[in-house]
Amino acid sequence: MRAIPESQSLDIVDLPDPEPAPGEVIIDVAAAGVNRADIMQRAGKYPPPPGASNVFGLEASGTISAIGDDVSGWSVGDEVCALLAGGGYAEKVAVPVAQLMPVPRSVDLVSAAALPEVSCTVMSNVVMTGHLSPSELLLVHGGSSGIGTHAIQLAHALGARVAVTARNQAKLERCRELGAEILIDYTTQDFDAVVGENGGADVILDIIGAKYLGANVTALAPGGRLVIIGMQGGVKGELNIGALMAKRAAVIGTTLRARPVAGAGSKAMIVTETVARTWPLVESGDVAPIIDSTFRLDDAAAAHERLNSGDTVGKVLLTME
């Protein structure tokens, strides 16, 4: 099969076709999502977990072409999308059955590749960890990103209010169209002040990390939950513990890729919850995959450039055809 293993140059190489281990299926890939984690891995800053494929790609959609032992509930020919620890930038990928999701009825096979990473990230962090409730305020940093555009829609569908940060008016207007009501241009406004004027955020979904730590705590409402999922703004920050205690607030850090396949806190738990709670909203049209652009596999370098430009709204995808 043709695939792009870990390298600076993103060269396509021929690799042996994967065989399904017990509890796995093989997907003939139609499309793969491009994520910032791929760019970090390419730069040598985010290696795959032990035992995972060194081929790029944390999500894919396609058709099941082979099934391993101890697999039930799935058949050859089923159209699926999947959360991966690696391997998506390839014509075929082996996937633990616990990380499979059916393609929602309202979504085409290629567009389905835009769903696994963002939907599982948002479900696990905003709902399962942040416990966002109806009428609460969610602050999403990077509202026009793949994760951001999904978080806006899901929170709005759940009856929550949504505030977002983005770097220009065009991005903010797109966020408004998706359901955000408090729009903050972080290049000209202090988000903590704006959110404070609106009662504070009950949940903050943060991709920045250290740079925003102090302002995020300031922006929290009493009893608020800051969930950090990225480190684009650094890994070490100063935390005002007094301010955190006064608000009875929580700071939580999570990751998705390195979680175990099954068991407590696993990908299996997140996938199950995502299909149960998010998929009906996708099928009803309340939540949709937002796709910025699509590139062919042999143009993966351009796809990385597009994602890294900061100009995207939604997901960047790679297709096999």
Side-chain angles (χ1 to χ4, degrees), residues 79-81 101-109 112 115 278-280 282-283 287 289:
E79 292 188 344
V80 296
C81 53
M101 293 172 271
V103 173
R105 286 189 293 271
S106 59
V107 178
D108 66 83
L109 187 57
L115 285 171
T278 302
W279 260 221
V282 176
E283 293 182 345
V287 176

Side-chain angles (χ1 to χ4, degrees), residues 52-288:
S53 170
N54 73 335
V55 171
F56 292 103
L58 302 185
E59 59 189 334
S61 62
T63 304
I64 294 177
S65 60
I67 294 179
D69 294 337
D70 303 324
V71 172
S72 61
W74 300 95
S75 301
V76 170
D78 285 348
E79 292 188 344
V80 296
C81 53
L83 187 68
L84 309 172
Y89 290 20
E91 292 176 327
K92 295 178 180 285
V93 62
V95 187
V97 69
Q99 293 170 211
L100 286 180
M101 293 172 271
V103 173
R105 286 189 293 271
S106 59
V107 178
D108 66 83
L109 187 57
V110 169
S111 298
L115 285 171
E117 186 74 15
V118 296
S119 62
C120 289
T121 295
V122 173
M123 178 55 61
S124 63
N125 290 289
V126 172
V127 179
M128 298 171 70
T129 299
H131 302 292
L132 182 71
S133 298
S135 301
E136 287 192 325
L137 178 61
L138 169 68
L139 170 60
V140 181
H141 289 302
S144 63
S145 67
I147 288 172
T149 54
H150 186 88
I152 293 167
Q153 295 178 86
L154 182 66
H156 182 70
L158 295 176
R161 300 161 59 219
V162 183
V164 297
T165 63
R167 72 177 187 179
N168 60 50
Q169 195 60 35
K171 285 175 174 279
L172 290 171
E173 284 302 321
R174 186 67 179 112
C175 292
R176 187 199 300 274
E177 293 170 1
L178 295 172
E181 60 181 86
I182 301 170
L183 310 176
I184 305 165
D185 184 337
Y186 68 79
T187 67
T188 60
Q189 297 173 283
D190 294 327
F191 71 82
D192 52 338
V194 176
V195 173
E197 291 167 0
N198 287 273
D202 299 287
V203 178
I204 300 176
L205 184 64
D206 178 46
I207 60 174
I208 301 299
K211 181 179 178 181
Y212 277 9
L213 181 59
N216 275 332
V217 171
T218 300
L220 285 172
R225 291 82 71 193
L226 166 60
V227 186
I228 302 172
I229 62 171
M231 301 176 290
Q232 295 180 33
V235 299
K236 293 183 179 180
E238 185 171 300
L239 175 63
N240 185 332
I241 296 175
L244 193 70
M245 293 172 65
K247 292 187 174 185
R248 306 180 307 282
V251 177
I252 308 159
T254 77
T255 186
L256 182 58
R257 187 182 193 183
R259 288 176 183 258
V261 173
S266 65
K267 294 173 185 172
M269 291 179 61
I270 294 169
V271 165
T272 298
E273 195 76 3
T274 298
V275 172
R277 301 184 65 175
T278 302
W279 260 221
L281 296 172
V282 176
E283 293 182 345
S284 69
D286 292 304
V287 176

